Amino acid sequence: MPMRDQREMMERPFFSLAKSKRVKPIDYTSPDGKLWVHVSASPDYGMATIWDADILIYCASVLADMARRGVNDVPRKLNLMPYDLLRAIGRPTTGRAYELLGQALDRLVATTIKTNIRAENRREATFSWLDGWTQLVDEKTERSRGMTIELSNWFWEGVMMKGGVLSIDRAYFDITGGRERWLYKVARKHAGGAGEEGFAISMPTLFEKSGAEGEYRRFKFEILKLAEKDALPGYGLSVETAKGGEPMLRMRRIDGKDGAGEVGQGTGGGSAGVLRQAQDERIVEGLAIKPAQPEPVEGPSHKSVSPGKHETVDASSLIRKAVKGLSDNASRGFMADETIAHLRETCPGWDLHALHAEFETWVNADAARLPANWQKAFIGFVKRHHEKHGHTLRR
């Protein structure tokens, strides 16, 4: 079954990009001031994450497949087998995976969204991603008979409307980082059908579209690192200069890159009635772009660059400048790639994002604990945790 994502969900900040629990709301207004999104989290469950959104991608794919096959009255309530869902989104099918699936479904139910997107005659629409979910169990054998997931009307309508979904590469589910997953969605939405020139967006606007917590300079530093790494499946990343000296990220479709398929084939296929790929991807903030023109850039801080006249910037140089502008605790608040790789090798089996959240809570509880080197301090924290509790890990 080709995998598809709901188009509006790929363009606006609807999800937390961190695995640690987020309760701080997301407030977003489009550059033209016409569209806004407010996402609030339950104190008990936290905000739905971009990994939880994989469940919605699977549901959107099921609905789109029903529409493609001509099913009458495509339902809002789906009967699914957890095993099929987990396999489709690239998750393991262990007992722990089923437990995490239940937690993700709870967050999708508990997260509340207010927006004027598709509010039609109303000033705003208020909904949760799911109206509810139920685990079905055979009364005699007590074995699972699957589950029912009731989709919100807003999400269902968004999938079923003409051009409401875009196909995505299955390689997307192999992306581990929250920012990388979100950046793939932005690239797929805006650059998937933009031709060789791709799509360019200034860093401040990209920051607003992400809904990410933390300071802009930290966000810019991390995006520059991702551009330097350039490991997004199906899309090439490069850095250019925008007005005011801020960097601008350009994204181009490259079929087959890092495990991606080809747009329009394999996972990129789809019915024209459900997927208006080339045209819909060129709609940016309500502005339809002529096919012969390079993709314009949103907001007053952007500039359009003519074909063949891109001013390419050395991402490494920008990263070094960004680091100099940060405090001595520049690596605070995130895990470096080197830190993750080292800990996965020396202390395997742990949820590093959960441990990182515990580490930050522990440090913030006492001002005297502020480390000189955040990454080394976190590594030491995890190693001590592993020595003390490693025997509890499931083998």
Side-chain angles (χ1 to χ4, degrees):
M1 181 176 63
M3 302 305 289
R4 310 182 193 281
D5 203 352
Q6 207 280 322
R7 192 183 69 196
E8 291 155 328
M9 289 165 49
M10 303 172 75
E11 186 175 5
R12 316 293 176 184
F14 284 108
F15 300 97
S16 169
L17 304 184
K19 287 187 176 179
S20 55
K21 184 177 179 180
R22 173 171 178 168
V23 294
K24 180 182 177 181
I26 293 175
D27 280 298
Y28 166 81
T29 303
S30 62
D32 59 11
K34 295 180 179 180
L35 300 176
W36 56 266
V37 174
H38 176 83
V39 185
S40 56
S42 161
D44 294 329
Y45 298 100
M47 184 178 295
T49 70
I50 198 162
W51 292 273
D52 301 338
D54 289 357
I55 299 171
L56 298 179
I57 292 176
Y58 180 77
C59 292
S61 304
V62 171
L63 296 179
D65 190 60
M66 288 182 179
R68 180 187 62 81
R69 292 186 285 109
V71 174
N72 294 324
D73 300 325
V74 176
R76 277 204 302 126
K77 181 180 289 187
L78 299 176
N79 295 319
L80 306 173
M81 294 301 295
Y83 177 86
D84 295 336
L85 191 159
L86 291 171
R87 286 291 301 274
I89 62 176
R91 306 284 177 87
T93 54
T94 61
R96 176 61 175 163
Y98 287 99
E99 180 182 342
L100 293 175
L101 174 60
Q103 294 175 9
L105 291 166
D106 287 339
R107 284 189 292 270
L108 291 170
V109 172
T111 300
T112 303
I113 302 94
K114 288 180 179 290
T115 182
N116 66 345
I117 299 174
R118 277 194 287 112
E120 297 177 354
N121 296 327
R122 307 180 297 274
R123 292 187 58 186
E124 64 184 36
T126 302
F127 59 93
S128 296
W129 295 115
L130 302 181
D131 288 345
W133 70 282
T134 304
Q135 185 79 9
L136 302 177
V137 179
D138 189 293
E139 294 182 358
K140 294 182 179 180
T141 64
E142 296 187 353
R143 301 181 69 174
S144 174
R145 294 174 46 224
M147 62 172 58
T148 62
I149 296 179
E150 187 170 357
L151 306 169
S152 70
N153 192 59
W154 190 92
F155 174 76
W156 183 88
E157 288 179 347
V159 172
M160 299 307 298
M161 70 181 184
K162 188 176 182 179
V165 293
L166 292 175
S167 61
I168 63 172
D169 291 298
R170 286 191 178 273
Y172 166 79
F173 299 109
D174 296 327
I175 303 175
T176 56
R179 277 178 174 42
E180 293 95 317
R181 280 175 157 249
W182 164 77
L183 198 59
Y184 173 90
K185 287 173 176 276
V186 175
R188 176 66 186 94
K189 171 63 178 65
H190 293 307
E196 294 182 359
E197 292 305 312
F199 170 80
I201 184 170
S202 75
M203 205 67 74
T205 301
L206 196 64
F207 175 61
E208 292 298 324
K209 287 173 74 71
S210 73
E213 292 186 282
E215 298 180 350
Y216 165 66
R217 58 183 183 175
R218 165 56 53 193
F219 173 87
K220 179 172 72 171
F221 171 78
E222 293 180 353
I223 296 299
L224 289 172
K225 288 286 287 184
L226 293 178
E228 183 184 40
K229 188 177 180 181
D230 191 20
L232 214 62
Y235 295 91
L237 304 176
S238 60
V239 180
E240 300 168 8
T241 301
K243 292 181 181 179
E246 285 292 338
M248 181 167 63
L249 187 68
R250 183 170 292 276
M251 298 166 274
R252 297 180 179 86
R253 176 69 192 182
I254 304 176
D255 289 340
K257 180 179 177 292
D258 292 307
E262 295 186 5
V263 173
Q265 297 182 12
T267 59
S271 133
V274 178
L275 175 63
R276 298 186 319 180
Q277 176 181 297
Q279 294 180 354
D280 286 342
E281 289 159 4
R282 294 166 108 60
I283 298 176
V284 183
E285 304 298 348
L287 178 63
I289 309 304
K290 296 180 180 179
Q293 299 295 323
E295 195 75 57
V297 189
E298 304 173 47
S301 61
H302 293 193
K303 69 174 183 178
S304 294
V305 183
S306 300
K309 297 182 180 180
H310 297 145
E311 184 180 350
T312 303
V313 178
D314 181 5
S316 299
S317 175
L318 284 174
I319 291 171
R320 288 193 294 271
K321 292 180 180 179
V323 170
K324 290 180 180 179
L326 296 174
S327 65
D328 292 338
N329 294 311
S331 62
R332 178 174 184 168
F334 77 105
M335 293 181 291
D337 292 342
E338 296 80 3
T339 298
I340 295 174
H342 176 71
L343 290 175
R344 283 178 176 169
E345 180 180 353
T346 58
C347 305
W350 296 106
D351 184 339
L352 295 180
H353 294 276
L355 288 179
H356 192 265
E358 292 181 15
F359 172 66
E360 287 192 319
T361 301
W362 177 76
V363 171
N364 293 332
D366 187 346
R369 293 173 180 168
L370 190 65
N373 188 308
W374 196 266
Q375 299 297 315
K376 287 184 178 180
F378 176 60
I379 289 173
F381 178 87
V382 175
K383 287 185 175 180
R384 290 191 296 272
H385 180 87
H386 183 71
E387 291 174 0
K388 186 176 181 180
H389 303 288
H391 65 280
T392 64
L393 289 171
R394 296 179 181 178
R395 301 298 181 184

